Amino acid sequence: MRKINLALLGATGSIGRQTLDIIRKFSDRVNLIGFSVHTNVGAINEIAQEFHASYAVITSDITYRSDDVKILYKKEGLIELITLPEVDTVLVATLGTVGIHPTLRALQLNKRVLLANKETLVAFGDFVKGIKTGTLIPVDSEHSAIFQLLENRREEAEEIVLTASGGPFRTLSYEELEKVSPEDALKHPTWNMGAKITVDSATLMNKGLEVIEAYYLFDFPPEKIKVIIHPQSIIHGMIRLKDNAVLSHMSYPDMRIPIQYALFYPERVSNDALKTIDFFTLGHLDFENPDPYRFPLLPLAYEALKRGMPYPACISAANDIAVFSFLQGNIKFTDIYKTVEFVFNKCDSKANTVEDVEGIIKEAKEYAKEFIKKMG
Ligand code: NDP
Ligand code: MG
């Protein structure tokens, strides 16, 4: 059996830790060659020792000495790690957009990229799509579901449906949304994830980013990518076929399922830590339409997708800043949308290269910061 030789980018995050959990379970199948951390350098020796990894990349400005691993730094360090001939698979679970560089390079080198970090695909989708080598496998649960459903059926599929839990504020009025706190937003009803994506789930921006992600992964036009609120998060994705038959992908909300699927693709492996659905306890599955008035970031994301590059990069960058400000207690929940909309309206530069988009992201973040300052 072939062993997977993995570089895990963002090893200390929610996805990163769950990936380590899978590697722990299947240590005879996966070698961790190296990994990256951003601020959590204290985890380097612990991870390196347990998994016998040889390289650790620090992407922040922190420096660190270790006798256990070779330490590399920043974007160049990520590239050096994923370029190693022994690395065949790269799992990108960093935050922000630095992940675009190892993603593009790994694909160019014909490696497998398991992509969790949706913000990179949202901002740089055209460049990723342009590379015809390598294999890109989504880790995001909805996209993993659609990826599995579409296998050998792309030609028969008419539209795809992404489900959204609706987040913790699904039933609140606009007036109530104005008063919610970061602590309230971090209480996700079904998924346990990092802080940024948890807030994105509460605004439905996460689903907006996922619509754009789906566009780049599966090549359906925006109007053929539907979103439906499904509070139980049991169905992760559906495809409607030509004859109106609908296929769905179901599991309990547990990211280890799509992580494991991506790691071992195309093989399915059994893992007794993953639970079987008990339909009788569930009783029923519910569906609602997303409300564009209370959750306007979702329609804004569709609009950004229709306009094309660099609009998705602009709204995603503005959202990064706005979510961080909200988590810091500097702006209201409803100001996240106002900030993103402001930056959307300023986004008119042309972008032909990765560097152009990086420049636009920087500019969009500055606009967002200025807008937030003025609001304060
Ligand atoms: P976390 O915040 O839990 O972890 C982020 C990871 O990235 C950590 O290892 C962190 O390092 C590192 N990191 C933070 N900032 C930067 C930066 N500027 N540059 C490089 N690395 C950085 O996030 P999640 O694991 O929740 O999410 C990671 C990605 O996966 C996101 O893009 C998210 O949208 C996506 N995703 C997550 C899901 C989930 O269930 N969590 C589901 C689907 C997609 P350190 O801890 O050392 O600071
Ligand atoms: Mg998702």
Side-chain angles (χ1 to χ4, degrees), residues 10 12-15 38-40 59 116-119 140 193-194 255:
T12 42
S14 161
I15 295 286
H38 195 58
T39 52
N40 202 343
T59 45
N117 176 213
K118 64 193 84 184
E119 291 86 348
D140 209 346
M193 311 179 285
M255 282 310 294

Side-chain angles (χ1 to χ4, degrees), residues 149-161:
L149 291 168
L150 283 177
E151 249 197 324
N152 305 320
R153 279 198 200 90
R154 178 62 185 88
E155 295 312 310
E156 298 166 33
E158 287 285 311
E159 67 178 24
I160 60 181
V161 182

Side-chain angles (χ1 to χ4, degrees), residues 118 140-143 191 193 197 206-207 210 213 255:
K118 64 193 84 184
D140 209 346
S141 55
E142 298 77 2
H143 304 73
W191 293 98
M193 311 179 285
I197 183 173
N206 182 48
K207 217 45 57 179
E210 289 186 357
E213 185 185 9
M255 282 310 294

Side-chain angles (χ1 to χ4, degrees), residues 227-255:
V227 170
I228 192 166
I229 305 286
H230 165 45
Q232 291 90 355
S233 302
I234 295 295
I235 297 180
H236 305 295
M238 302 189 251
I239 62 171
R240 185 174 62 76
L241 304 174
K242 279 182 179 163
D243 58 359
N244 279 341
V246 174
L247 307 185
S248 74
H249 177 285
M250 300 191 222
S251 72
Y252 280 127
D254 183 336
M255 282 310 294

